[in-house]
């Protein structure tokens, strides 16, 4: 415990600045270091959600490990209080290096090792220990520069710390990510962190340092800033190499939108691959089987007005527009960059049959959930071509409440079709979607379709996995009242690969694989990551 009556005038006299100025500089360093620390935390959460998936789990892992580690760091800092200045300087240099390089190392482990979970935990632990050691040392330093009782010093430190955290938390999504991206943003933050910590100690507390300690701190901070600056210069080359490791050598388009990372691979329409946040969404080798199985069974009946939720690639719309009696198609896509790419990219626009040129098609850039809450009339067919329910950002779009909104948007004899994930690989997720659709007031008809031998990892959106495995796509047909039959429309355009017999067999196989007793997923109680 700090003696509140201890005189600090003797210590203050040795400082090169007035006590009030020294106190301000210490609090300014607290502000900057707190902002940098929160950026490190948010960067770990964001990158882990992108690389690993399930943002709820990743945020829980990062924050819980980091808070635990902060407690350990606070205890360890007790041993450094007798040399608070040099201890704080070395801690900030280490924090700047580890925090600034964390995004690069996490992405490298994902690209070349295929797993970043252990690196995530390691960085959370190390950064937490270093952040936890800051406040005890800063408490010693602020009392070193100005006479102040312990309660007042703690209040000032935590006020600066919390305000800094606010600024860092707002700067991450609104400035660093859109302007610099995750990798360069983390490197820049580390550089600022090293500069702030080193400047405070080497200027305000330089008389507390021995010559050896002073040169050690100078060398450490210069080395850290040099490493981070070099990494910043090379970050574009690193990203290209990492993308080649993840996506192969034929990356044609790689863009970070306001919603996700969009990557297009392949030289032409026959080799095209579309990845969203690292997950394969479209492969030209077999996308037609997926989209035919998704669209054509739902088109068996009235189909004048069709609503497609998701499907910004235009491939579901391509199949819908093959029906001459379709009068209007509305595509509700969250990310306008995807629909823009589907219009303008030569290979993708050729693959979707230039669907966006059709005057019957209207594109709406919106989140499907709030969009459905407004009254847009009734639709004969609603096609839900959305990201996998195991991805937490999409969980609300597979909830009972969401399907209740869809039921209100359906005409009395309308149909809904939902891509519910691979039935074989994640049966609990599939049947939870089915329970959620039923909870929304619709009768369901599940069916499954097997794909071709893909020979590549299709990711959680499309099923499949190891070489030689056969992909599996699970779907749900639903309607008010009686469950619709899984059948092709009489007199409709002939699918390229899908046949009525395959649909009937897929419905029978799905019915035999039913998991009874599962509860629906709701906004208040999402359930999908239990099977991820």
């Amino acid at each position: 415990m700090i003696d509140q009556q201890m005189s600090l005038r003797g210590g203050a006299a040795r400082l090169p600045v007035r006590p009030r100025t020294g106190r301000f500089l210490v609090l300014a360093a607290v502000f900057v270091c707190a902002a940098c620390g929160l950026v490190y935390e948010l960067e770990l959460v964001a990158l882990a959600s992108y690389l690993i998936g399930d943002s709820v789990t990743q945020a829980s892992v990062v924050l819980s490990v980091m808070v635990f580690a902060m407690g350990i760091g606070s205890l360890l800092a007790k041993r450094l209080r007798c040399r608070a200045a040099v201890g704080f300087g070395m801690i900030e240099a280490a924090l700047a290096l580890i925090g600034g390089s964390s995004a690069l190392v996490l992405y490298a482990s994902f690209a070349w090792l295929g797993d970043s979970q252990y690196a995530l935990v390691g960085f959370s632990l190390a950064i937490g220990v270093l952040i936890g050691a800051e406040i005890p040392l800063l408490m010693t330093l602020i009392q070193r520069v100005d006479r102040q009782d312990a309660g007042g010093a703690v209040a000032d430190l935590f006020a600066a710390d919390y305000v800094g955290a606010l600024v860092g938390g707002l700067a991450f999504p609104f400035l660093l990510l859109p302007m610099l991206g995750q990798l360069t943003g983390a490197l820049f933050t580390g550089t600022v962190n090293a500069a702030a910590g080193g400047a405070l100690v080497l200027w305000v507390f330089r008389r507390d340092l021995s010559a050896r300690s002073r040169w050690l701190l100078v060398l450490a901070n210069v080395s850290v800033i040099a490493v981070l600056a070099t990494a910043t210069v090379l970050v574009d080359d690193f990203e290209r190499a990492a993308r080649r490791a993840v996506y192969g050598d034929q990356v044609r388009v790689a863009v970070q939108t306001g919603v996700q990372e969009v990557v297009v691979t392949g030289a032409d329409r026959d080799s095209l691959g579309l990845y969203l946040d690292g997950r394969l969404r479209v492969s030209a080798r077999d996308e037609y089987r997926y989209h035919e199985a998704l669209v054509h069974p739902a088109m068996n009946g009235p189909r004048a007005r069709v609503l497609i939720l998701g499907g910004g690639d235009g491939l579901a719309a391509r199949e819908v527009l093959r029906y001459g009696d379709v009068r209007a198609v509305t595509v509700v896509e969250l990310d306008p960059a995807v629909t823009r790419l589907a219009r303008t990219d030569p290979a993708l626009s050729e693959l979707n049959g230039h669907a966006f040129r059709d005057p019957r098609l209207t594109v709406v850039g919106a989140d499907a959930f709030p969009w459905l809450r407004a009254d847009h009339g009734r639709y004969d067919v609603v096609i839900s071509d959305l990201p996998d329910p195991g991805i937490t950002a999409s969980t609300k779009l597979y909830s009972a409440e969401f399907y209740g909104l869809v039921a209100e948007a359906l005409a009395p004899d309308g149909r809904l079709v939902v891509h519910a994930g691979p039935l074989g690989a994640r049966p609990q997720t599939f049947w939870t979607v089915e329970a959620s659709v039923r909870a929304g007031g619709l009768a369901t008809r599940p069916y499954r379709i097997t794909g071709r031998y893909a020979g590549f990892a299709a990711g959680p959106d499309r099923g499949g996995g190891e070489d030689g495995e056969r992909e599996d796509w699970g779907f749900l047909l639903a309607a008010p009242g009686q469950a619709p039959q899984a059948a092709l429309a009489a007199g409709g355009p002939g699918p390229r690969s899908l046949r009525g017999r395959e649909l009937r067999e897929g419905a029978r196989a799905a019915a035999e694989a039913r998991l009874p007793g599962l509860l629906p997923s709701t906004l208040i109680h999402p359930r999908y990551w239990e099977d991820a």
Side-chain angles (χ1 to χ4, degrees):
M1 181 175 177
I2 297 176
D3 185 359
Q4 299 183 21
Q5 305 301 319
M6 181 177 59
S7 173
L8 299 172
R9 291 187 178 276
R14 297 185 59 220
L15 297 175
V17 296
R18 291 180 299 176
R20 182 169 301 216
T21 302
R23 176 173 169 275
F24 171 80
L25 293 174
V26 171
L27 293 178
V30 174
F31 172 87
V32 173
C33 293
C36 293
L38 195 64
V39 169
Y40 299 143
E41 293 182 34
L42 296 175
E43 169 257 317
L44 287 178
V45 171
L47 196 59
S49 300
Y50 161 52
L51 299 178
I52 305 172
D54 188 358
S55 58
V56 171
T57 299
Q58 305 316 320
S60 300
V61 169
V62 170
L63 297 179
S64 59
V65 170
M66 195 167 285
V67 170
F68 165 74
M70 288 170 63
I72 296 176
S74 295
L75 292 175
L76 295 177
K78 292 168 64 176
R79 298 178 176 273
L80 298 175
R81 286 183 57 194
C82 59
R83 302 185 65 188
V86 67
F88 177 75
M90 293 304 295
I91 283 172
E92 290 309 301
L95 180 59
L97 179 63
I98 295 173
S101 64
S102 58
L104 278 172
V105 177
L106 279 175
Y107 195 51
S109 65
F110 170 77
W112 283 284
L113 301 179
D115 183 15
S116 52
Q117 185 70 57
Y118 294 113
L120 174 69
V121 174
F123 276 111
S124 301
L125 189 63
I127 292 173
V129 168
L130 295 171
I131 290 176
E134 288 177 333
I135 292 297
L137 298 180
L138 286 166
M139 179 72 175
T140 301
L141 293 178
I142 198 171
Q143 289 198 318
R144 169 80 177 79
V145 300
D146 192 14
R147 179 193 298 273
Q148 194 174 18
D149 64 273
V154 169
D156 289 344
L157 283 174
F158 278 105
D161 186 73
Y162 294 151
V163 174
L166 171 66
V167 172
L170 295 177
F172 179 73
F174 296 116
L175 292 177
L176 292 177
L177 272 185
M179 295 178 61
L180 300 178
Q182 290 194 352
L183 302 186
T184 305
L187 293 168
F188 173 79
T189 302
T191 303
V192 171
N193 197 167
L200 177 70
V201 174
L202 292 172
W203 179 28
V204 178
F205 298 100
R206 63 179 182 268
R207 294 176 183 173
D208 287 357
L209 304 175
S210 65
R212 179 180 178 184
S213 297
R214 189 179 304 120
W215 283 110
L216 179 63
L217 282 175
V218 169
L219 179 62
N221 282 277
V222 169
S223 299
V224 168
I225 293 174
V227 168
L228 297 177
T230 302
T232 302
V233 172
L234 300 175
V235 73
D236 289 339
D237 294 332
F238 170 83
E239 285 193 60
R240 284 191 289 269
R243 283 199 183 102
R244 285 196 297 271
V246 175
Y247 303 112
D249 295 328
Q250 292 187 322
V251 175
R252 276 195 304 107
V253 178
V255 59
Q256 182 70 49
T257 74
V259 178
Q260 60 202 337
E261 183 187 54
V262 181
V263 174
V264 178
T265 63
D268 52 34
R269 61 159 288 172
D270 295 324
S271 58
L272 182 141
L274 174 64
Y275 295 80
L276 303 180
D277 273 350
R279 298 174 175 87
L280 182 66
R281 289 286 294 161
V282 172
S283 169
R285 290 181 286 178
D286 62 354
E287 62 79 18
Y288 63 93
R289 284 190 55 77
Y290 167 83
H291 289 100
E292 287 179 353
L294 174 72
V295 171
H296 289 284
M299 301 297 284
N300 183 22
R303 48 182 178 257
R305 297 191 74 213
V306 179
L307 172 63
I308 302 175
L309 304 175
D313 49 42
L315 298 170
R318 175 197 65 197
E319 297 300 319
V320 170
L321 292 169
R322 293 177 62 192
Y323 291 82
D325 52 351
V326 169
R327 296 202 307 269
V329 180
T330 302
V331 174
V332 180
E333 167 62 48
L334 177 63
D335 191 349
V338 175
T339 54
R340 184 165 55 249
L341 188 67
R343 293 176 189 268
T344 59
D345 182 76
L348 185 53
S349 62
E350 185 181 356
L351 190 63
N352 65 37
H354 303 285
F356 293 95
R357 297 180 184 176
D358 194 303
R360 294 175 290 173
L361 189 143
T362 301
V363 177
V364 178
D367 185 323
F369 198 107
W371 188 86
L372 279 172
R373 298 185 72 175
D375 187 3
H376 299 282
R378 298 293 177 263
Y379 293 89
D380 301 302
V381 180
V382 176
I383 297 170
S384 180
D385 185 19
L386 296 164
D388 184 78
I391 303 170
T392 310
S394 300
T395 301
K396 68 177 183 180
L397 304 179
Y398 288 85
S399 64
E401 293 89 342
F402 180 75
Y403 294 121
L405 295 175
V406 172
E408 294 178 3
L410 281 173
D413 51 357
R415 283 91 56 213
L416 163 71
V417 64
V418 179
H419 162 239
L423 177 56
R426 293 201 298 280
Q428 184 165 330
T429 293
F430 180 90
W431 292 111
T432 300
V433 176
E434 194 265 349
S436 303
V437 174
R438 286 191 286 106
L442 301 172
T444 61
R445 179 79 61 187
Y447 63 101
R448 66 188 296 180
I449 298 294
T450 54
R452 58 186 291 178
Y453 287 103
F456 61 93
D461 291 77
R462 292 289 183 259
E466 302 298 330
D467 289 359
E469 282 191 5
R470 207 161 171 83
E471 290 188 354
D472 163 73
W473 296 307
F475 303 94
L476 294 167
L477 266 177
Q482 187 175 359
Q485 294 298 316
L488 298 176
R496 179 177 168 183
S497 63
L498 188 65
R499 298 293 180 265
R501 179 179 178 182
E502 184 180 9
L503 270 176
R504 292 190 295 272
E505 291 176 353
R508 183 166 57 252
E512 292 172 355
R514 176 179 291 276
L515 293 180
L518 293 180
L519 297 174
S521 181
T522 66
L523 293 178
I524 296 175
H525 192 166
R527 303 177 185 274
Y528 292 113
W529 56 76
E530 297 170 4
D531 190 40

